[in-house]
Amino acid sequence: MLRKKLLPAWLILVLLVAVGVGVAGCTPAAEAPPEEEEEEAPEAPEAAGEVLMGLIGPLSGSIAYYGQLMREGARLAVQEINQAGGVNIGGKPYSIKLIVEDDRALPADSVSAAEKLIHDNGVHMLVGSFTSTATLANLEVSKRANIVQITPVAVADAVCPASPWMFRNVPNQTMQTSFNANWVRDNLDIKKAGIIASDDDYGRGGADIWAKIMTEDGVEVLKPEFFQIGDTEFSSQLTKLRAQGVDTIFLVALITEGSQIVTQAQEIGMDVQFIGLGGFASDRFLELAGEAAEGMVHVSYWEPDPNNPASMHYRDAFVEFSGLEAEMFGAAAYDAVYILKTAMETVGEPPSQDLAYQEKLREAMLDIEFTGAQGPMHFNEDGQAQIGLYLVRVEGGKRVILGRWDP
């Protein structure tokens, strides 16, 4: 900070008289005027350049709430980074500009969004999308363009191996479903289990993995019952499973359909243990399902964890920034932006779409050791994060941590 030189008192008086200002009305010499105080406050250095970061997510349609959480998590990270001086690239500050496109969770729209962001907007990297089906479609665009992409949500195992430019900073389907199934095997006495799952990459993958593990452990697992996103009536699946005498239902769904399934099960008098994946780690699910959610056990990528200061910071900052609940999808998008920042600073060169830069960015991503709101992580050679997750149970209308798994 530059040291300011004070004018002599006699010169101040002369100047005041010269401009017709009465001495009685001037600020006492011992007090710094407001302008002086503002000038002394530290200011962020002017950006030397701009990072163009694209984000794709479902901002309209049946799962728009998730897309909103994802977008706000990314926006919070961008704001924090820019206010703290930006991305330090070769000793110069670069600001991040986040450009967001809605894909409505539809593969065709997701492809169009990726093409627009890469070819029209010229983004240097991509974040997204939300669903595995949409991400498997749009990654073909970033793959052809040789652009680094990271998804903070899409969990289908096939996502990362599908492109050398693809990264994921949450556990994949096998990681989270195996953790879930192993805990269930060791802690719950299950004889016969049913499965209700969404008929997409997320639902089919989760159903297959969980059924395989439970069957190997001697549990009778019935053929999965599938539904379409947007369905509202599940009585046929539930009635069928009740008639077959299941004591447990493994549910692979998101908030809207999942809350309706557990509520309709309660309405027809089904007394079963519900087990789920990460689609229920939201206060919105607890509000919609009410008492019907009690006792449900499911995984979560993020929970407010006092053992991780970054987790607690994200919780408080996200609620203040967005007015929305702090939950795992926002946390994963928040971390994804910081991961990209870390990689760019490692490269130390102005970002571009040139192959040489993108190859350096990819290598920097593979070398990252990062701790964020979700905890510590690094990527394997396929771009899959080696990262932990939580198992929780709904008790008294709240998620209670049962344990954490770390690879």
Side-chain angles (χ1 to χ4, degrees):
M1 181 175 67
L2 295 176
R3 186 180 300 275
K4 294 181 171 55
K5 296 182 179 180
L6 298 178
L7 296 175
W10 65 268
L11 180 55
I12 294 175
L13 181 59
V14 170
L15 291 173
L16 289 173
V17 172
V19 297
V21 178
V23 176
C26 70
T27 303
E31 296 181 11
E35 290 76 8
E36 289 283 336
E37 293 177 358
E38 291 178 4
E39 289 175 4
E40 291 182 4
E43 296 182 0
E46 183 178 351
E50 193 171 56
V51 175
L52 301 181
M53 185 180 296
L55 183 143
I56 304 172
L59 302 176
S60 61
S62 62
I63 59 173
Y65 179 65
Y66 292 109
Q68 184 180 14
L69 292 166
M70 188 174 118
R71 179 193 63 195
E72 293 307 290
R75 288 184 63 238
L76 170 61
V78 168
Q79 176 178 283
E80 288 182 347
I81 291 168
N82 287 343
Q83 289 183 347
V87 185
N88 184 347
I89 297 177
K92 297 180 180 180
Y94 280 65
S95 63
I96 299 176
K97 180 179 180 180
L98 187 68
I99 307 173
V100 182
E101 285 292 326
D102 176 19
D103 69 359
R104 299 188 296 165
L106 300 175
D109 286 21
S110 211
V111 168
S112 297
E115 290 176 339
K116 180 179 179 181
L117 288 168
I118 292 174
H119 301 302
D120 296 345
N121 299 117
V123 299
H124 304 126
M125 60 215 65
L126 280 180
V127 179
S129 182
F130 184 91
T131 68
S132 295
T133 303
T135 303
L136 284 165
N138 71 45
L139 67 79
E140 293 298 327
V141 180
S142 60
K143 182 179 179 180
R144 289 193 298 270
N146 303 314
I147 298 294
V148 167
Q149 179 175 352
I150 182 170
T151 175
V153 183
V155 299
D157 287 359
V159 168
C160 285
S163 169
W165 303 101
M166 192 71 209
F167 292 83
R168 171 169 45 208
N169 66 307
V170 292
N172 66 20
Q173 190 80 288
T174 294
M175 294 165 72
Q176 62 173 297
T177 308
S178 299
F179 174 45
N180 179 300
N182 290 332
W183 187 92
V184 169
R185 175 200 62 201
D186 296 338
N187 294 276
L188 299 178
D189 183 21
I190 295 177
K191 305 300 183 187
K192 182 184 287 189
I195 298 176
I196 301 178
S198 54
D199 191 14
D200 55 16
D201 292 283
Y202 172 60
R204 290 188 298 269
D208 289 345
I209 296 165
W210 197 85
K212 183 177 184 294
I213 295 173
M214 299 306 292
T215 300
E216 290 174 349
D217 290 332
V219 175
E220 181 182 357
V221 181
L222 303 181
K223 183 180 178 181
E225 300 290 330
F226 292 106
F227 65 88
Q228 302 298 321
I229 300 295
D231 286 353
T232 59
E233 180 54 54
F234 306 93
S235 58
S236 61
Q237 295 100 321
L238 291 168
T239 302
K240 183 177 179 179
L241 293 176
R242 181 175 64 175
Q244 296 179 83
V246 301
D247 54 31
T248 301
I249 294 178
F250 179 59
L251 184 56
V252 192
L254 298 177
I255 291 174
T256 304
E257 292 80 11
S259 61
Q260 293 178 83
I261 289 170
V262 298
T263 300
Q264 290 176 27
Q266 183 185 59
E267 290 172 350
I268 64 173
M270 287 190 75
D271 184 17
V272 295
Q273 171 68 60
F274 275 100
I275 307 293
L277 292 182
F280 310 107
S282 165
D283 291 345
R284 175 69 66 87
F285 171 73
L286 300 178
E287 294 169 3
L288 293 174
E291 292 182 359
E294 281 295 308
M296 184 176 191
V297 174
H298 63 83
V299 298
S300 174
Y301 316 148
W302 173 88
E303 292 293 325
D305 187 346
N307 295 317
N308 178 10
S311 168
M312 306 305 288
H313 166 78
Y314 161 75
R315 181 196 64 180
D316 297 339
F318 185 81
V319 171
E320 181 179 355
F321 174 80
S322 69
L324 302 171
E325 62 166 317
E327 50 64 74
M328 68 180 194
F329 298 125
Y334 174 85
D335 278 355
V337 173
Y338 272 100
I339 289 168
L340 289 169
K341 171 185 181 288
T342 303
M344 285 187 283
E345 291 181 335
T346 299
V347 174
E349 299 176 6
S352 76
Q353 289 190 349
D354 292 346
L355 178 59
Y357 178 84
Q358 291 295 320
E359 286 179 336
K360 292 177 182 178
L361 184 63
R362 178 180 178 275
E363 289 301 317
M365 293 281 282
L366 291 172
D367 290 339
I368 277 178
E369 296 285 343
F370 176 83
T371 297
Q374 300 174 103
M377 60 135 285
H378 64 276
F379 294 109
N380 67 10
E381 63 277 7
D382 289 330
Q384 170 59 52
Q386 305 304 290
I387 187 171
L389 71 160
Y390 299 90
L391 194 74
V392 301
R393 176 189 283 128
V394 179
E395 297 179 5
K398 297 182 179 180
R399 297 189 304 278
V400 177
I401 296 175
L402 297 175
R404 179 178 169 88
W405 172 82
D406 286 289

